[in-house]
Amino acid sequence: MKNLIKTRVSVADSMVLIGIMLAAVYWAIESVLNLFTTHKVDIFYQLFPTQIDEIWSRIVVLCLFTIFASHVRLTINERKKAKEALMVSEKKYRKILESIEEGYAEVDLKGNFTFFNDSVSRILGYSREELMGMNNRKFTKPESARKLYREFNKVYKTGKTSGVIENEVINKDGGVKYTEVVVSLMRDKDGMPTGFRGIARDVTERLKAEKERRELENKLHNARAATILGLAKLSEYRDKGTGAHLERIREYAKIIVKEMAGLSVYKDYITEKYIDDIYQSSILHDIGKVGIQDSVLLKPGKLNPEEFDIIKRHTVLGGDALAEIESQIGERSFLILGKEIAYYHHEKWDGTGYPDGLKGKKIPLSARVVAIADVYDAYNQFSVVIRLKIIKENLSVFRLVKRRAAGFKHPGNQLWHF
């Protein structure tokens, strides 16, 4: 029974009883005082007067004490409910923090741990007992510690949450782990800074995968370059003068497309990958010459019309060979530009080129660029007098590109365009 009473009568409920008791005490004291201030000496009459005007003041006092006690009771109950709700909310909050995969930690203004979840222990490899109160400098590399200090200081001064901070930490076993951290400021009820809270994500495996991916891409890039160079060398074996020509062609082509990348019309088309692809693939432009017989390919004199028709076939032979290789790959590859260049680097803007007589912008940009580089290199091998004449006539590809011109004229008065 006593336990039941203790359960039911809370501090708030007892306030009403206290109010009634206070009213009763007031009533008794007033009655005792009345014994000495009135001609009536009957204590019973003083406690329980028969006249309504004499008892009315005591009823008012009783009501006032009861109302006051009820208000106190309500206030206490409200505070109790709010406290219980806060405790439940905090319990849920802490439970969520404990269960999330990301590390959550709170540190004081000196950087010492005051709270953290299990994920922080997992990332750092320390037990909860070891980590509690530990300073972040103990497990952070010096360079990362200096960077963290700058970021924490910025958060402290501005009160704004930091951006993503890349952090390098050393776990208990001495291994290095990489995390991404976001930090915000903690304040007390008066708004004064008390510490920092932060979310940390372990990105070690992701960075490791990215590193492996980059290494694989580099290997593939090197393999691609080696493949292209190996194919291009086939034509060099047939014509010993071709090797240096190939090296110059790809350098010229790279210079041209780099300059063209600054033009608004090509801004979104000529990317870094495009520049690299055309640099690598431009040396395949004459790969089809491996299929031309020596009597024609290596003839020292002028070719007759029949022999020139045979030479023209090198564009189709080279393009078909690269197209066949590309079809085996089964997706867009680095050979796309090589194929375009091999097929169309002898097409001309006015449609008088070969093999298909393409005209204007129907000629792929890659083929147009290599055609310019090819012609420039061919004329650049002439004597100094001829080179000066070419420069004078504005045939220099460098001046042409820098002036953002649409094309230039070669000695045959054929207009070449980008």
Side-chain angles (χ1 to χ4, degrees):
M1 184 65 179
K2 290 181 179 180
N3 292 334
L4 182 62
I5 293 174
K6 286 181 180 179
T7 302
R8 288 187 176 181
V9 180
S10 65
V11 175
D13 293 330
S14 65
M15 292 307 299
V16 176
L17 298 177
I18 291 173
I20 295 174
M21 290 175 60
L22 287 174
V25 170
Y26 171 82
W27 195 334
I29 292 174
E30 183 188 32
S31 299
V32 172
L33 291 175
N34 283 337
L35 287 174
F36 300 98
T37 58
T38 64
H39 61 280
K40 298 177 180 178
V41 293
D42 188 349
I43 185 64
F44 181 82
Y45 177 82
Q46 295 297 336
L47 291 173
F48 306 104
T50 57
Q51 302 297 324
I52 189 66
D53 57 336
E54 295 178 351
I55 200 172
W56 179 254
S57 62
R58 299 179 184 182
I59 294 175
V60 171
V61 169
L62 175 63
C63 291
L64 289 175
F65 273 109
T66 304
I67 291 171
F68 170 75
S70 298
H71 176 72
V72 173
R73 175 181 180 277
L74 179 63
T75 302
I76 292 176
N77 277 340
E78 290 297 325
R79 289 183 178 178
K80 183 179 178 182
K81 289 179 181 179
K83 186 177 180 180
E84 289 176 351
L86 182 62
M87 290 176 64
V88 170
S89 177
E90 184 176 351
K91 188 175 180 181
K92 288 181 179 179
Y93 171 69
R94 295 290 182 180
K95 189 174 181 180
I96 291 172
L97 292 179
E98 290 290 350
S99 63
I100 61 176
E101 185 177 352
E102 287 78 10
Y104 174 84
E106 296 175 0
V107 297
D108 59 24
L109 294 176
K110 294 181 179 179
N112 302 314
F113 277 123
T114 57
F115 175 81
F116 51 87
N117 63 2
D118 291 338
S119 293
V120 173
S121 297
R122 174 179 53 77
I123 293 171
L124 297 177
Y126 291 94
S127 66
R128 296 188 66 86
E129 292 74 18
E130 291 172 322
L131 274 181
M132 186 59 69
M134 183 183 292
N135 192 276
N136 69 85
R137 287 190 296 271
K138 184 171 182 179
F139 54 80
T140 306
K141 283 197 168 186
E143 184 177 345
S144 293
R146 288 191 291 270
K147 181 169 65 175
L148 276 180
Y149 174 79
R150 290 194 297 269
E151 293 296 331
F152 274 54
N153 197 39
K154 187 187 299 182
V155 171
Y156 180 84
K157 289 180 177 179
T158 64
K160 296 180 180 179
T161 302
S162 73
V164 177
I165 309 167
E166 294 181 354
N167 188 33
E168 194 173 353
V169 298
I170 305 172
N171 60 22
K172 186 177 180 179
D173 297 331
V176 177
K177 287 198 172 185
Y178 301 92
T179 60
E180 292 179 342
V181 183
V182 176
V183 179
S184 59
L185 190 65
M186 293 193 303
R187 300 178 185 273
D188 60 18
K189 61 180 181 179
D190 298 322
M192 298 300 296
T194 58
F196 303 90
R197 60 167 60 93
I199 295 288
R201 176 178 296 175
D202 186 354
V203 295
T204 306
E205 293 302 320
R206 191 191 75 191
L207 293 181
K208 182 179 178 182
E210 288 179 356
K211 182 180 179 182
E212 291 175 351
R213 178 181 59 79
R214 287 194 298 269
E215 290 176 351
L216 179 59
E217 286 179 350
N218 288 335
K219 289 179 180 179
L220 291 174
H221 183 274
N222 294 335
R224 180 185 71 174
T227 300
I228 294 174
L229 185 59
L231 289 171
K233 286 291 182 180
L234 293 175
S235 59
E236 182 182 350
Y237 294 145
R238 299 292 311 283
D239 183 358
K240 296 303 180 182
T242 304
H245 169 67
L246 296 179
E247 296 296 327
R248 292 192 299 269
I249 285 294
R250 68 178 181 179
E251 295 298 335
Y252 295 155
K254 185 176 183 179
I255 291 171
I256 292 172
V257 291
K258 273 193 169 183
E259 289 291 335
M260 292 176 65
L263 298 173
S264 58
V265 66
Y266 296 116
K267 181 177 60 177
D268 298 324
Y269 185 77
I270 299 179
T271 62
E272 288 297 325
K273 185 178 185 306
Y274 185 92
I275 294 172
D276 183 66
D277 284 349
I278 204 168
Y279 174 78
Q280 300 291 348
S281 302
S282 58
I283 59 177
L284 295 173
H285 67 288
D286 278 339
I287 187 65
K289 286 184 177 180
V290 298
I292 305 300
Q293 57 265 41
D294 289 348
S295 60
V296 176
L297 182 64
L298 304 179
K299 183 178 178 179
K302 185 177 180 179
L303 299 177
N304 60 42
E306 292 78 12
E307 291 170 333
F308 187 58
D309 287 339
I310 294 173
I311 283 290
K312 288 180 179 180
R313 290 178 52 209
H314 83 277
T315 57
V316 177
L317 291 174
D320 287 349
L322 296 178
E324 180 63 27
I325 297 173
E326 184 192 16
S327 68
Q328 298 301 316
I329 296 176
E331 59 182 13
R332 291 184 62 84
S333 72
F334 61 89
L335 291 176
I336 290 179
L337 292 187
K339 178 185 66 176
E340 291 177 351
I341 292 167
Y343 272 134
Y344 307 119
H345 70 285
H346 281 294
E347 298 287 358
K348 296 181 181 180
W349 190 259
D350 64 355
T352 60
Y354 62 88
D356 296 334
L358 298 181
K359 188 175 181 180
K361 290 187 178 180
K362 289 185 178 180
I363 306 170
L365 178 63
S366 58
R368 283 181 267 158
V369 168
V370 173
I372 296 294
D374 195 16
V375 171
Y376 174 76
D377 186 62
Y379 285 106
N380 202 38
Q381 301 311 303
F382 291 165
S383 65
V384 175
V385 175
I386 297 298
R387 288 203 300 272
L388 289 175
K389 183 180 178 182
I390 291 172
I391 294 172
K392 186 177 179 181
E393 294 177 357
N394 292 325
L395 280 177
S396 171
V397 67
F398 307 109
R399 289 183 60 188
L400 172 71
V401 172
K402 289 182 179 179
R403 285 166 44 203
R404 307 294 196 262
F408 65 86
K409 292 182 178 181
H410 67 72
N413 293 324
Q414 167 61 50
L415 187 61
W416 294 72
H417 286 264
F418 287 108

